[in-house]
Amino acid sequence: MNDAGRLADLERLIQSAPVPWQTQLLAVGASLALLAAVLWLVRRRALGVEFTAVWIAVAVGAMALSISTDLLGLVTRLLGAWTPRSTVFFFAQFFLIATCLHYAVRLTRLSLQVKNLSQEVALLSAELETLRAPSSRAE
Amino acid sequence: MENPASDRDRLLIIPAFNEAERLPRVLAEVAGAVSGFEVVVVDDGSSDGTADRAAEGGARVLRHPFNLGYGAALQTGYKYARRRGASLLVQMDADGQHNPRDIPGLVRPIERGECDLVVGSRFGGAEVYGMSLAKRVGGMVFRAMARLYGVRITDPTSGFQAMNRSVVDLYTSDAFPSDFPDVDVLLFAHRYGLRIGERPVAMNAGTRPSSIHRRLTPIYYTYRMLLAIWAVSARKRRPSGPQEARTRE
């Protein structure tokens, strides 16, 4: 058998290796913890309902992949990765980068709104001062 | 300082951040040099009593609740001018580097209807402004880029400018940057068909840079300006030009 054949066998062997129950338990636990944290934050009004959809989806998706190792294996093979762990890390990193970009866009919009509001405060304060000035009242 | 007959129509905007020390002198010089302008100081969240000094100097004061940046301070002045229905606006810095005696020269091309926006150039005045080599090189690069896009200005980073209502309308839009409005906004105005001119002005050498400019780090500034110039040229020109922008309010 040549090197390419041995490598393919090794890839198949690693991909078909069962996920240890400890890892599976940890992944399910982490998914549940994330779900619980999101719900707890919503309950405390620390996280707006409008921001929860993506986090709930992540928690549920992670839980589905943790329980169904076949599904994770399928996704791993589709991506061309060797181990399910690589797949999980790939999606986690992609999600974090996308989240950062999303919040940068939101922050840009909020900065613009804060700037416009502050300018409005400055202009209205000046108008108020004019109206309160003695000469203005005399008129 | 104010001429009731025309000061509603002509505004002098001075953005200031922690300039309590130098602003009174600037305001006194303005009072001695020009008349017929309402002088408006935009205090960009100063903590040293700049707003009080400005009011004592006879200026109208617009106070930002906190520091928003040089561009935002200028834009507050533009928004004020728009509400006042001013037809002419001059902007100058609060650090004393601009000479108010140059204001009539800046304003003249606008009054004659030759330009919409006039930039005071440091490179044609009687006095030479003491610029560092880095700033000179940066100025050359931005000058070349402005020329590439059709704006022939020798000093595109000058903050000493005069403009008419069309420019003010355009600059009150959300496209105006909050931090460093320089070459990119000139290109922005040029893209909207506004006529940009230039007049030589004298700059007071040896002036310590204004607090409002001091945090400007050259590397970030260059990066930011190059990206902004690209963005201005890459964006589609919206149909809402100055005229339409004015009717929105």
Side-chain angles (χ1 to χ4, degrees):
Chain A
M1 191 184 285
N2 58 13
D3 285 351
R6 278 200 296 275
L7 208 59
D9 281 349
L10 185 63
E11 184 182 350
R12 271 194 296 277
L13 188 71
I14 291 174
Q15 281 179 346
S16 61
V19 177
W21 66 267
Q22 297 95 327
T23 307
Q24 210 171 352
L25 194 66
L26 185 70
V28 172
S31 309
L32 280 173
L34 177 61
L35 192 63
V38 169
L39 296 175
W40 183 71
L41 288 169
V42 170
R43 189 171 157 268
R44 285 177 58 92
R45 294 197 185 91
L47 180 65
V49 176
E50 65 272 28
F51 294 102
T52 55
V54 68
W55 295 107
I56 296 279
V58 166
V60 170
M63 204 183 323
L65 289 174
S66 309
I67 294 168
S68 168
T69 50
D70 292 343
L71 182 63
L72 185 58
L74 177 71
V75 176
T76 302
R77 279 192 296 279
L78 284 174
L79 284 177
W82 279 29
T83 67
R85 287 183 188 84
S86 307
T87 309
V88 170
F89 276 112
F90 168 75
F91 279 115
Q93 285 190 18
F94 181 79
F95 173 74
L96 288 176
I97 291 168
T99 306
C100 285
L101 196 59
H102 168 74
Y103 284 116
V105 171
R106 284 192 87 101
L107 198 61
T108 302
R109 197 164 62 222
L110 284 170
S111 300
L112 190 65
Q113 288 168 342
V114 168
K115 183 210 72 177
N116 286 339
L117 272 174
S118 307
Q119 289 177 326
E120 196 62 35
V121 167
L123 293 167
L124 289 175
S125 298
E127 265 185 53
L128 196 63
E129 271 176 28
T130 308
L131 290 171
R132 282 178 176 166
S135 58
S136 169
R137 280 202 295 271
E139 284 169 17
Chain B
M1 189 179 295
E2 294 182 5
N3 177 350
S6 58
D7 64 5
R8 195 181 174 83
D9 205 38
R10 298 149 72 94
L11 299 183
L12 173 61
I13 303 292
I14 306 175
F17 177 61
N18 289 341
E19 289 291 356
E21 198 183 311
R22 295 185 286 190
L23 189 62
R25 192 177 157 200
V26 171
L27 290 175
E29 283 176 4
V30 166
V34 289
S35 60
F37 279 83
E38 179 185 0
V39 180
V40 180
V41 171
V42 184
D43 173 30
D44 191 22
S46 303
S47 56
D48 68 342
T50 294
D52 296 336
R53 297 292 90 72
E56 287 163 14
R60 151 79 69 187
V61 186
L62 304 174
R63 293 180 181 88
H64 283 174
F66 40 80
N67 187 253
L68 292 171
Y70 176 65
L74 278 176
Q75 196 186 43
T76 302
Y78 302 148
K79 288 181 176 178
Y80 178 76
R82 193 170 168 189
R83 289 189 185 187
R84 296 279 297 209
S87 64
L88 197 146
L89 180 146
V90 175
Q91 64 181 55
M92 63 182 281
D93 289 348
D95 55 14
Q97 66 164 306
H98 299 145
N99 189 339
R101 294 190 190 283
D102 287 317
I103 291 175
L106 281 181
V107 163
R108 210 165 293 125
I110 296 172
E111 288 174 331
R112 288 181 186 153
E114 295 165 4
C115 296
D116 297 303
L117 171 66
V118 178
V119 179
S121 170
R122 290 168 278 196
F123 303 116
E127 290 176 50
V128 178
Y129 180 67
M131 253 184 175
S132 67
L133 182 67
K135 279 191 176 178
R136 280 183 186 275
V137 172
M140 278 169 63
V141 171
F142 293 130
R143 197 156 56 238
M145 293 199 74
R147 189 174 281 247
L148 198 67
Y149 289 103
V151 179
R152 292 179 173 274
I153 297 287
T154 60
D155 191 5
T157 59
S158 168
F160 198 12
Q161 299 179 7
M163 61 193 73
N164 65 15
R165 194 179 298 184
S166 299
V167 182
V168 169
D169 282 348
L170 189 66
Y171 283 2
T172 50
S173 76
D174 283 345
F176 194 82
S178 296
D179 48 7
F180 319 127
D182 276 333
V183 197
D184 51 339
V185 292
L186 291 180
L187 298 183
F188 179 51
H190 177 68
R191 266 180 80 85
Y192 275 86
L194 299 170
R195 297 161 301 162
I196 302 171
E198 188 175 52
R199 287 294 176 275
V201 293
M203 294 281 169
N204 297 327
T207 312
R208 178 168 49 92
S210 166
S211 309
I212 216 160
H213 294 300
R214 218 175 292 151
R215 283 167 301 172
L216 180 158
T217 53
I219 294 171
Y220 173 72
Y221 177 80
T222 307
Y223 150 78
R224 184 237 171 274
M225 205 48 69
L226 291 176
L227 188 65
I229 289 169
W230 171 81
V232 167
S233 60
R235 279 179 197 135
K236 282 184 184 168
R237 186 184 175 282
R238 293 189 180 174
S240 57
Q243 278 73 26
E244 195 172 317
R246 196 183 308 151
T247 58
R248 275 206 303 267
E249 193 160 276

